[in-house]
Amino acid sequence: MEGIHEKIKEIIDHFRLNNNSFSKRIGVTSTTIDSITNGRPQPDGSRKRTKPGYDLLTSIINEFDINPDYLFGKSSQMFKSNNTELQTYAGIPQVVAVNQEGEENVVYVPIKARAGYLDGYGDADYIETLPSFSMPHLTNGTYRCFEVQGNSMVRTFFDGDLVFGKYVEDLSDIKDGRVYVIVSRNDGIVLKRVINRIEERGKLILKSDNKDGNYPTYTINAEEVMEVWYVTMFASKQMPEPVDVYDRLHDLESKIVLLENALQQKN
């Protein structure tokens, strides 16, 4: 008969999580889950597994709708509700990058890595291959940096710009009119202004800021969404053009300077 540590590992694998993301979902440390699933190293080279306590098991049961009899080997049915579909959206990223101090780094997803990210966003080994860095003022959440591709958001963002997104823990938290990076099964990684109609229709409406007619508004079903990142900051190599008022001010300043020079020459 399978041990309870194997049952917990099967739950983690079913939801395509790793020990770190699973531990966050149930409010414990990743070390706690590692000690249960893999065991703690012993002086003789063996590994000793920790038995999960009542509170931890209760958290797993409640968070993932797990059938208690499954955990204790009395049933092959994993879920209370007999719902064996994969969860489509997790409340936290499946994989995060951390520095030596255990603080989360910002993972950078360049254009050339987009195709791989769709398959590897939940794979710790893949995420480790992407560049990551520390941004001290990006705190209270998990952040990703995405390189902008294309011109659908021109007027706001340009091809090659970098956008920094904070992970959205619940699709209901998406606010109308804000800009998000949406990672989905069918459309890949897109940067769009979003209208949230999850509650009413189970859909997100994605809009482009470029109004030249080449980027129509479209919808995406909630079950297709794998990750959502709320854009909180961006970096651009494009210098914005001055608006008319600044043009007029610059013209006025130039005339004043020329007038002062003319007066000085007369004196």
Side-chain angles (χ1 to χ4, degrees):
M1 187 175 71
E2 287 183 319
I4 198 165
H5 68 278
E6 293 172 300
K7 296 292 188 181
I8 292 174
K9 184 68 170 64
E10 287 173 2
I11 295 169
I12 294 171
D13 291 343
H14 177 86
F15 286 99
R16 296 179 183 173
L17 302 173
N18 58 28
N19 284 0
N20 182 59
S21 53
F22 180 79
S23 66
K24 286 189 175 183
R25 292 284 297 274
I26 61 174
V28 299
T29 65
S30 59
T31 303
T32 299
I33 300 302
D34 287 339
S35 68
I36 293 170
T37 57
N38 301 318
R40 294 181 182 275
Q42 302 299 304
D44 63 359
S46 64
R47 302 184 75 89
K48 182 178 180 180
R49 290 190 177 88
T50 302
K51 291 184 178 180
Y54 173 81
D55 290 342
L56 187 144
L57 292 176
T58 300
S59 295
I60 293 173
I61 290 168
N62 292 337
E63 176 66 22
F64 296 99
D65 193 36
I66 299 301
N67 176 13
D69 286 342
Y70 171 82
L71 279 173
F72 296 103
K74 297 179 181 180
S75 171
S76 60
Q77 182 178 313
M78 183 181 289
F79 299 96
K80 292 178 186 175
S81 58
N82 199 28
N83 175 16
T84 56
E85 292 183 6
L86 288 174
Q87 179 169 309
T88 56
Y89 197 82
I92 56 170
Q94 294 191 21
V95 180
V96 297
V98 296
N99 58 24
Q100 293 180 344
E101 289 73 38
E103 299 166 336
E104 288 191 19
N105 275 342
V106 177
V107 174
Y108 171 48
V109 185
I111 291 172
K112 64 182 180 181
R114 284 184 168 216
Y117 187 84
L118 294 179
D119 294 325
Y121 73 99
D123 183 344
D125 292 335
Y126 172 76
I127 293 298
E128 285 181 1
T129 68
L130 297 176
S132 63
F133 50 89
S134 175
M135 293 285 282
H137 56 292
L138 293 182
T139 57
N140 300 321
T142 298
Y143 290 82
R144 288 271 193 280
C145 175
F146 295 88
E147 185 177 6
V148 176
Q149 183 178 33
N151 299 310
S152 71
M153 293 298 286
V154 164
R155 290 179 60 190
T156 311
F157 305 103
F158 295 84
D159 189 55
D161 285 356
L162 304 180
V163 294
F164 295 80
K166 180 180 180 181
Y167 190 79
V168 177
E169 296 183 356
D170 192 315
L171 294 181
S172 63
D173 293 333
I174 295 174
K175 307 298 183 187
D176 289 352
R178 291 184 177 179
V179 176
Y180 296 85
V181 174
I182 308 290
V183 183
S184 70
R185 303 184 191 284
N186 295 329
D187 295 323
I189 300 172
V190 297
L191 177 69
K192 296 293 179 183
R193 203 169 291 279
V194 178
I195 305 297
N196 188 348
R197 293 297 178 266
I198 295 290
E199 231 178 85
E200 302 95 321
R201 305 179 194 170
K203 298 178 182 292
L204 296 175
I205 300 172
L206 308 187
K207 304 174 64 177
S208 300
D209 284 359
N210 190 332
K211 303 302 181 184
D212 66 3
N214 292 320
Y215 305 97
T217 298
Y218 64 97
T219 63
I220 183 172
N221 295 324
E223 57 266 24
E224 297 174 25
V225 178
M226 298 185 294
E227 291 184 337
V228 177
W229 303 86
Y230 168 46
V231 175
T232 61
M233 186 176 76
F234 75 100
S236 178
K237 292 178 286 188
Q238 300 283 337
M239 294 299 293
E241 294 294 331
V243 296
D244 290 345
V245 65
Y246 289 110
D247 286 338
R248 291 195 295 269
L249 285 173
H250 291 323
D251 186 49
L252 180 59
E253 287 173 347
S254 298
K255 289 179 179 178
I256 291 173
V257 170
L258 292 173
L259 181 59
E260 288 176 343
N261 288 339
L263 290 173
Q264 288 174 357
Q265 289 175 359
K266 285 184 178 181
N267 295 333

